[in-house]
Amino acid sequence: MNKKLTTQNEIKSEIINLSAILSLPKGTEAFVSDIHGEYDEFAHIMRNGSGNTKQKIAELFTGRLTPMSQKKLAFLIYYPSEILEQTKSEINDTERLNQWYMDTFNNLIEVLRYTANKYTRSKVRKALDPDFVYVTEELLYADTNAQTKQLSYQNVMTSIIDLKMADAFIVATCHSIQRLVVDHVHIIGDIYDRGPHPDFIIEHLTHHQQSFDFQWGNHDILWMGSVAGSKLCMLNLLRICARYNNLSILSDAYGIDLSAVSQFAIKNYQPLKSFTPKSDTGEEIPLETKLLDNCLQQAAAIMQFKLEGPTIRRNPDFKMENRLLLDKLSSDRNSIVIDNQEYQIKDGCFQLVDKDDPYQLTNEEQQMVEDLIEQFMHSEKLRQHIDYLVSKGSMYLKYNGNLLLHGCVPVDKVGNLKSWQVHGKSYAGKKLFDYFDEVIRAGLNNPSMKDNFNSDVIWYLWTGKMSPLFGKDKMTTFERYFIDDAQLHIEKLNAYYTLRKEEWFADKLFKDFGLEADGHIINGHTPVKAGTSPIMANGKIFVIDGGMSKPYHKTTGIGGYTLLSNSYGLQLVTHEPFTTREKAITEMTDVVSTKRVIEQSVKRKTIANTDVGSKIKKQILELSQQLNKF
């Protein structure tokens, strides 16, 4: 409790207030995953409350507003500044515009009132713009059936127009609706990589008064590891940015100077087919950019493979010796021996790999790596973003009886928890997650450019067999680039991904993590292919990576999933692919969302049924005990 209560009446009043909160409906939770830098689509889904806003408008205004008028109201709430400008350009008459303002005020306040009815006045007040708190509350809680109140209500709205505050009031009210339509958002991993603007996503979250949490994904780990000082995480990150034509995010968003490594790449490498960059948007990449992306990708890959050598050798507990491949190359670099079988090399680019010491960086490479990692560690904006991810995030989360994690829980083929032994200790299941969480925080609290165990473990989370964020036997980056044999490209999934279809398996994981069997496990990480259900284990496990990232649209056939948990139960929302923000605004093209009720409560859930409710009950008990002392 934040305030000290000293009298009986104060304690009794607080007990009454807390008891009243327990009876309020449970707020809506939204679960999203694998955003991969697709800011415009993510922001649109946040603005429309994963389809909730449109649904509430329909519930309120069907029969009173035409479908087109409902759509206009919805888009005003999503994009208030832009729709205001568009509307004012269409209405040149002052009297008509003022009437539009009055009608819009009434509609928005009605939506706000409907959205806010499950919250306390205190919580609603926090969601209101400070400049309009008093005015909004007057309109929100006015009894418009009373004649005197109705007159006051009209006068307030007229004054807003006369004082030229109408636009600002509308924008503020729309943002309040956005904040209240969904109470809490869970992001189950992978904000970073592939898409163009993960930085915008972090900025969006830090500036919106909405409740968020993160469960870190394998791609997030690369950025976190880079800030912690992991050169291997940084080189992987650089290679992926080059592969997806995203180098600008490093230079423009985070101020990383890539000029030296770019010049080095162009000087030492020639374009190769295997390193052809991919366009996230599908648009043609300019020839000069394509050349740089190709060559820089080679430079980063070779330095990555080199540094893997000493990292794997100084960490025998990682058991990754099968990833030491540079020393398996033939002297002419045209073939390689893997598992006693010889394979031909395609698109080889090993000219800077020393035959006698293949895992040693050249002096120029060493200098570049040191310079780059220092930039990553001292990028103020990147550090702020990663700090936010760490402060709001974790390896997993237990929330309202559900278990949220990005990838998997490593198990064997019959479902037994697999143990990872490191430094003489074993970790499995929940203890494994807790261990990794501890190491990540330690690495970021004490970042270092020097090779160290914490940064090595963070890199292991990207690629190691026992990483819950990776969940495969090995990462075949080398084979995919250099060997034309599809069998060698296969990355065998942990048994978790097969067993998660079984209800008994879900129950076993609930027990290990200390949860009741009536909860749910919510995953991301693996895109659900078109025609495959994201609902598994008899409704106990959900996989909500539906392909928000554009490169996955062909695989999944959709634009992503959102899972909603409200006071009535669970809904799975399927989103069609998002086009562009500009098209959405000018043509009022919404992301068509199909909602499917997958679990419905017999009795409407209240805050008493939530984690917050448990804390409130504990407070009430403590207050009652304090009261008994009088």
Side-chain angles (χ1 to χ4, degrees):
M1 291 185 302
N2 296 324
K3 55 186 178 181
K4 188 174 181 180
L5 307 174
T6 57
T7 69
Q8 289 188 53
N9 284 340
E10 286 177 341
I11 295 172
K12 289 176 181 179
S13 294
E14 185 67 10
I15 291 174
I16 292 169
N17 290 335
L18 292 174
S19 298
I21 292 172
L22 288 175
S23 63
L24 289 171
K26 170 191 173 296
T28 299
E29 300 170 59
F31 303 80
V32 296
S33 179
D34 297 84
I35 304 165
H36 284 301
E38 299 293 347
Y39 170 71
D40 285 348
E41 182 171 354
F42 169 76
H44 185 85
I45 290 172
M46 291 298 100
R47 288 171 183 269
N48 75 6
S50 194
N52 262 4
T53 302
K54 183 168 61 176
Q55 180 177 321
K56 289 184 182 298
I57 289 172
E59 291 169 2
L60 281 171
F61 296 107
T62 296
R64 295 163 55 197
L65 293 178
T66 65
M68 179 54 69
S69 294
Q70 290 183 37
K71 178 182 279 192
K72 288 180 178 178
L73 179 58
F75 268 83
L76 176 66
I77 294 170
Y78 306 162
Y79 301 100
S81 298
E82 293 83 351
I83 299 301
L84 266 170
E85 184 178 348
Q86 193 179 97
T87 302
K88 288 162 67 177
S89 69
E90 297 169 356
I91 303 176
N92 299 318
D93 180 78
T94 301
E95 187 175 340
R96 283 180 57 220
L97 182 60
N98 288 347
Q99 185 57 53
W100 180 85
Y101 278 136
M102 294 292 283
D103 292 341
T104 300
F105 290 165
N106 280 313
N107 291 339
L108 288 177
I109 290 297
E110 192 168 349
V111 175
L112 180 61
R113 186 181 297 120
Y114 190 53
T115 303
N117 64 8
K118 63 167 65 175
Y119 303 117
T120 63
R121 287 198 180 195
S122 173
K123 184 160 186 172
V124 173
R125 188 177 298 120
K126 291 175 184 176
L128 302 180
D129 189 303
D131 293 335
F132 294 102
V133 168
Y134 176 76
V135 173
T136 306
E137 287 187 333
E138 280 294 302
L139 297 174
L140 193 59
Y141 303 119
D143 180 7
T144 54
N145 292 320
Q147 187 173 357
T148 53
K149 281 287 186 180
Q150 189 175 33
L151 181 60
S152 172
Y153 186 94
Q154 295 295 324
N155 286 339
V156 169
M157 293 195 295
T158 301
S159 297
I160 292 172
I161 296 171
D162 292 342
L163 293 169
K164 310 296 183 186
M165 299 172 69
D167 288 3
F169 177 72
I170 287 173
V171 171
T173 305
C174 290
H175 287 164
S176 295
I177 293 169
Q178 288 180 23
R179 284 190 283 269
L180 289 170
V181 76
V182 171
D183 184 41
H184 189 93
V185 180
H186 306 281
I187 300 176
I188 308 180
D190 282 355
I191 286 178
Y192 279 94
D193 286 340
R194 293 197 177 96
H197 287 300
D199 55 317
F200 285 8
I201 295 169
I202 303 288
E203 288 293 318
H204 177 99
L205 299 177
T206 56
H207 288 95
H208 279 66
Q209 298 173 7
Q210 204 159 21
S211 182
F212 292 93
D213 61 59
F214 307 96
Q215 292 71 60
W216 305 316
N218 53 319
H219 286 271
D220 302 325
I221 283 294
L222 287 181
W223 295 74
M224 295 162 71
S226 298
V227 171
S230 168
K231 302 178 185 70
L232 267 175
C233 284
M234 182 265 295
L235 288 170
N236 274 277
L237 182 161
L238 182 63
R239 177 178 58 79
I240 291 170
C241 283
R243 185 159 186 77
Y244 287 92
N245 187 34
N246 258 340
L247 291 171
S248 60
I249 192 175
L250 296 175
S251 54
D252 297 346
Y254 294 125
I256 307 295
D257 183 2
L258 299 174
S259 57
V261 69
S262 298
Q263 292 168 14
F264 170 85
I266 293 296
K267 179 180 72 174
N268 289 285
Y269 295 94
Q270 296 296 319
L272 295 172
K273 185 178 180 181
S274 296
F275 295 87
T276 302
K278 301 177 181 180
S279 171
D280 179 59
T281 62
E283 297 176 0
E284 181 64 27
I285 302 172
L287 185 60
E288 185 177 351
T289 304
K290 187 181 292 186
L291 172 65
L292 174 60
D293 286 349
N294 192 306
C295 295
L296 202 151
Q297 197 181 154
Q298 294 176 60
I302 295 301
M303 289 188 284
Q304 169 194 322
F305 298 139
K306 286 183 178 183
L307 286 184
E308 286 177 357
T311 304
I312 292 169
R313 284 171 175 164
R314 67 174 172 260
N315 292 288
D317 289 332
F318 288 6
K319 299 188 185 316
M320 294 179 66
E321 290 76 11
N322 64 347
R323 294 293 81 207
L324 299 177
L325 296 175
L326 291 182
D327 60 325
K328 310 297 189 301
L329 287 164
S330 62
S331 57
D332 62 6
R333 301 294 195 266
N334 290 327
S335 64
I336 188 171
V337 175
I338 299 177
D339 294 333
N340 298 318
Q341 185 169 341
E342 186 176 10
Y343 298 90
Q344 294 301 304
I345 292 291
K346 63 166 185 175
D347 290 342
C349 52
F350 305 108
Q351 52 268 34
L352 297 183
V353 178
D354 190 320
K355 296 179 182 179
D356 298 322
D357 194 358
Y359 299 106
Q360 178 64 49
L361 294 176
T362 67
N363 290 335
E364 190 174 4
E365 287 174 329
Q366 183 69 38
Q367 185 176 345
M368 273 191 311
V369 169
E370 296 287 339
D371 173 66
L372 282 170
I373 197 64
E374 186 171 2
Q375 289 190 63
F376 272 87
M377 293 174 66
H378 292 93
S379 168
E380 184 177 352
K381 187 174 180 181
L382 179 57
R383 181 77 211 200
Q384 288 174 351
H385 286 182
I386 296 305
D387 283 348
Y388 185 76
L389 272 181
V390 172
S391 67
K392 297 282 189 179
S394 54
M395 280 290 296
Y396 70 97
L397 182 66
K398 296 192 292 184
Y399 195 98
N400 288 342
N402 297 319
L403 175 62
L404 286 55
L405 56 94
H406 178 68
C408 72
V409 180
V411 294
D412 62 21
K413 61 183 180 180
V414 293
N416 295 319
L417 297 173
K418 294 186 73 172
S419 294
W420 190 46
Q421 293 192 343
V422 59
H423 292 172
K425 294 184 178 181
S426 295
Y427 304 92
K430 179 180 178 296
K431 291 181 180 179
L432 179 65
F433 280 78
D434 289 336
Y435 174 77
F436 282 131
D437 196 292
E438 182 181 327
V439 171
I440 290 168
R441 295 183 195 280
L444 283 160
N445 285 335
N446 299 283
S448 174
M449 291 174 58
K450 296 181 179 179
D451 297 331
N452 64 86
F453 181 69
N454 287 339
S455 61
D456 287 352
V457 171
I458 296 175
W459 167 74
Y460 179 87
L461 276 165
W462 162 249
T463 188
K465 184 176 182 178
M466 283 296 293
S467 166
L469 306 182
F470 179 53
K472 300 177 183 178
D473 62 339
K474 60 185 176 181
M475 187 176 289
T476 58
T477 306
F478 185 99
E479 291 89 335
R480 288 168 184 266
Y481 276 136
F482 300 120
I483 302 174
D484 195 13
D485 187 325
Q487 287 300 309
L488 285 185
H489 300 173
I490 295 173
E491 298 172 342
K492 186 179 177 182
L493 292 169
N494 183 267
Y496 174 92
Y497 295 102
T498 301
L499 295 174
R500 67 182 176 183
K501 299 173 184 176
E502 306 294 333
E503 186 174 0
W504 64 264
F505 179 64
D507 291 339
K508 186 171 185 176
L509 295 180
F510 287 137
K511 185 176 181 180
D512 179 65
F513 280 84
L515 290 166
E516 298 296 325
D518 59 353
H520 307 88
I521 298 171
I522 304 167
N523 288 165
H525 189 51
T526 49
V528 179
K529 295 181 179 180
T532 303
S533 175
I535 306 169
M536 303 180 184
N538 196 24
K540 290 190 175 182
I541 296 181
F542 302 102
V543 185
I544 59 169
D545 180 3
M548 194 177 293
S549 177
K550 288 184 174 64
Y552 285 141
H553 287 178
K554 290 182 180 179
T555 300
T556 63
I558 61 171
Y561 291 111
T562 306
L563 185 68
L564 295 177
S565 171
N566 58 30
S567 57
Y568 295 105
L570 289 172
Q571 295 178 327
L572 184 69
V573 185
T574 306
H575 303 286
E576 288 191 2
F578 186 72
T579 51
T580 66
R581 185 176 188 274
E582 292 72 22
K583 185 175 181 179
I585 293 169
T586 56
E587 300 180 12
M588 289 196 294
T589 307
D590 206 348
V591 173
V592 179
S593 303
T594 304
K595 287 189 178 182
R596 175 183 171 188
V597 176
I598 51 178
E599 188 173 293
Q600 195 159 5
S601 301
V602 176
K603 183 180 179 182
R604 192 177 188 187
K605 290 186 178 180
T606 64
I607 290 177
N609 306 120
T610 67
D611 292 346
V612 170
S614 296
K615 293 177 182 177
I616 291 175
K617 290 173 186 176
K618 184 178 179 181
Q619 289 177 1
I620 291 174
L621 179 61
E622 291 172 353
L623 287 170
S624 299
Q625 292 171 345
Q626 186 179 343
L627 189 62
N628 291 334
K629 294 178 181 179
F630 279 91

